[in-house]
Amino acid sequence: MSILIQNIKELIQVEEKPRLKVAGKEMANLKTIKNAWLLIEGDRIKEFGRMSEPYKYDKKNAKIRIIDATGKMVFPSFCDSHTHLVYAGSREIEYIDKIRGLSYEEIARRGGGILNSAKRVHESSEESLVKESMTRLNEIIMSGTGAVEIKSGYGLSVEDELKILRVIKKLQTLSPLTIIPTFLGAHAIPEEFKGKQREFVDLVINEMIPQVVAENLSDYIDVFCDRGFFTVEDTDRMLNAGMKFGLRPKIHANELDYSGGIQVGVKYHALSVDHLEYTGEDEIQCLKGTETMPTILPGAAFFLGMEYAPARKMIDAGLPVALASDFNPGSAPSGNMQFILSMACIKYQMLPQEAIHAVTLNGAYAMGLSEEYGSICCGKKANLFITVPIPSYEFMPYSFGNNKVETVILNGKVIKE
Ligand code: NIG
Ligand code: FE
């Protein structure tokens, strides 16, 4: 089956020659084609061009579906490279506590925070976690996401970490989204290991990592390397152990302090370092010329009322930047990448062109997917969406909070219309 989309007002983020990521000044250079067509064959983008040179097809051919996109634009699907969307229940009670003035630390001391979610995951069956997570996946499909990373991290024991990763594996078979699982055994110190942090790190190294690899549940290892969580030394040990098993780091770094997380991530060739609210000149220099994608999570900074990461400085210094949702019950209970796109422009002074690259190609890079996803390029997977009629692509971030995604095509199949 083929799909021909015709009369596209503007085809966004086209690439003649595929790139793995976009950095610095290049991020503002967004390629588009006005008044375009695009042909999908099977699960891939076959060809695209201008309506002035229309694609010729046999009108009697029943194997080609024509979609008219007059007044509408086509974007590559969002690539959301950082989420924790397998969780049980929600934590709006803590959110009310926060409004009443309690700090994140006080909430955690009362049994809230990551440990609260871990308790709920422990009490949930794999089936119920699959069901809850499928609802969230369907929600993000409707808002334009086509590929998503999901971390474990609400297990904090061998058994429950494996449970979450098995749930993610099941979701890969049930959802039309492309899903990348990441092992995050070191997300917080569980109650029974308080004061015995080194022993918990040993558990991650000696038991969790080998079992995750034996069951082939993830290619990536994450650590929350920050003040009050895991130290640089803990992180160094876990990343080193993970890499011996072939796991590549993708880490939480510098959300709460200048934690050294960025430096240890770069040292171990992390695919991405994420959060980055505390990024100074040293961190920017350390990231320059490396394979590590700096990834910013606007949802968490917004929801927790934190400082915003210096995205503008990073791009001006020549770095690439990816943006992700961080969809999780504690600090970012939304996976809406259209909102993230708006936040990039409103709060991080990113131009719409830069923000679009950050939520597509650079996000794909941060999941190891940019050869196949993240732009409109011949031969890449046909993961894209058609908007409602909009006046310009800048309207996408401008019109914040409103859904502009109308038709969703994932791996060549129409999922929503
Ligand atoms: O990415 N920073 C660490 N972890 C999550 C928050 C988890 C939670 O509060 O449940 C994050 O923001
Ligand atoms: Fe996170």
Side-chain angles (χ1 to χ4, degrees):
M1 185 73 185
S2 302
I3 299 173
L4 176 63
I5 310 174
Q6 297 199 116
N7 302 314
I8 304 167
K9 179 168 178 171
E10 196 160 353
L11 180 61
I12 310 299
Q13 227 306 47
V14 294
E15 285 191 310
E16 296 294 339
K17 274 201 213 107
R19 297 162 295 178
L20 290 180
K21 59 181 173 181
V22 216
K25 282 198 179 69
E26 260 308 286
M27 286 188 73
N29 183 8
L30 184 74
K31 298 252 163 39
T32 71
I33 301 178
K34 288 194 169 132
N35 202 12
W37 55 265
L38 177 127
L39 179 70
I40 297 169
E41 238 175 58
D43 62 353
R44 300 208 176 246
I45 296 169
K46 174 80 178 158
E47 255 183 279
F48 51 82
R50 291 166 203 284
M51 286 306 291
S52 53
E53 297 156 53
Y55 179 75
K56 294 199 177 54
Y57 63 97
D58 174 6
K59 298 218 160 84
K60 282 186 236 101
N61 183 355
K63 287 210 173 86
I64 184 160
R65 176 173 171 193
I66 311 294
I67 298 179
D68 180 63
T70 302
K72 305 169 183 178
M73 299 197 181
V74 170
F75 280 71
S77 295
F78 300 126
C79 295
D80 187 356
S81 66
H82 182 136
T83 83
H84 308 243
L85 68 76
V86 173
Y87 58 85
S90 52
R91 298 195 341 234
E92 66 276 21
I93 302 297
E94 293 174 21
Y95 157 77
I96 307 299
D97 286 343
K98 209 168 97 15
I99 296 169
R100 292 212 160 99
L102 259 67
S103 72
Y104 196 72
E105 277 83 4
E106 281 165 328
I107 292 169
R109 244 181 280 126
R110 292 180 169 202
I114 296 168
L115 300 188
N116 181 7
S117 287
K119 186 167 165 275
R120 292 182 189 216
V121 163
H122 182 69
E123 289 159 0
S124 303
S125 65
E126 278 187 32
E127 292 69 36
S128 72
L129 286 170
V130 166
K131 199 160 165 258
E132 276 192 61
S133 308
M134 276 303 283
T135 306
R136 294 180 196 123
L137 290 178
N138 290 333
E139 209 175 278
I140 65 173
I141 289 173
M142 297 306 162
S143 57
T145 297
V148 63
E149 184 252 25
I150 311 177
K151 300 174 192 298
S152 61
Y154 292 123
L156 306 180
S157 69
V158 180
E159 174 204 350
D160 291 337
E161 278 298 297
L162 293 174
K163 174 157 85 178
I164 298 177
L165 289 167
R166 288 184 194 126
V167 166
I168 301 173
K169 202 167 196 176
K170 181 83 186 173
L171 297 173
Q172 287 177 311
T173 67
L174 296 175
S175 172
L177 281 162
T178 299
I179 299 174
I180 298 293
T182 294
F183 165 60
L184 170 58
H187 196 192
I189 319 292
E191 211 54 67
E192 59 279 24
F193 282 89
K194 285 269 148 69
K196 298 186 287 185
Q197 181 144 340
R198 201 177 164 86
E199 282 174 40
F200 183 67
V201 172
D202 288 339
L203 182 79
V204 172
I205 292 175
N206 299 324
E207 296 192 39
M208 293 191 195
I209 293 173
Q211 293 198 47
V212 167
V213 174
E215 278 193 45
N216 199 15
L217 293 171
S218 177
D219 293 329
Y220 298 101
I221 179 166
D222 196 340
V223 171
F224 188 9
C225 178
D226 229 318
R227 192 188 67 209
F229 289 83
F230 294 89
T231 64
V232 168
E233 194 210 330
D234 296 331
T235 308
D236 200 293
R237 287 181 64 216
M238 288 185 275
L239 298 189
N240 200 14
M243 284 181 67
K244 287 196 181 122
F245 280 88
L247 301 180
R248 183 149 185 208
K250 255 179 84 63
I251 71 169
H252 281 74
N254 299 47
E255 176 186 5
L256 307 170
D257 207 346
Y258 294 96
S259 63
I262 293 177
Q263 286 86 342
V264 70
V266 167
K267 173 177 169 193
Y268 287 105
H269 307 282
L271 184 58
S272 71
V273 288
D274 304 24
H275 273 293
L276 315 185
E277 281 74 11
Y278 289 85
T279 300
E281 205 38 54
D282 288 352
E283 285 77 12
I284 289 179
Q285 288 311 322
C286 169
L287 282 160
K288 270 185 124 172
T290 69
E291 309 145 49
T292 303
M293 177 61 69
T295 300
I296 294 175
L297 311 174
F302 171 68
F303 191 80
L304 296 178
M306 292 189 301
E307 284 295 307
Y308 291 105
R312 185 70 267 149
K313 271 197 188 146
M314 294 177 181
I315 297 170
D316 291 344
L319 292 179
V321 164
L323 295 166
S325 75
D326 197 15
F327 196 174
N328 78 70
S331 63
S334 161
N336 189 327
M337 290 293 280
Q338 291 181 65
F339 178 64
I340 298 301
L341 186 66
S342 295
M343 286 284 292
C345 301
I346 299 166
K347 287 290 178 190
Y348 294 80
Q349 291 79 45
M350 287 171 71
L351 295 168
Q353 296 84 341
E354 294 169 329
I356 291 168
H357 279 126
V359 292
T360 57
L361 190 63
N362 285 355
Y365 177 91
M367 292 187 272
L369 289 176
S370 59
E371 281 178 24
E372 297 270 55
Y373 296 89
S375 65
I376 301 293
C377 182
C378 294
K380 276 198 179 182
K381 292 279 174 130
N383 261 34
L384 48 91
F385 61 80
I386 308 174
T387 65
V388 295
I390 52 174
S392 64
Y393 65 73
E394 289 92 340
F395 187 83
M396 282 296 276
Y398 160 83
S399 169
F400 84 91
N402 303 315
N403 184 29
K404 281 87 59 189
V405 171
E406 188 172 77
T407 304
V408 173
I409 298 180
L410 295 181
N411 295 311
K413 290 205 175 68
V414 178
I415 303 295
K416 172 195 181 237
E417 51 191 321

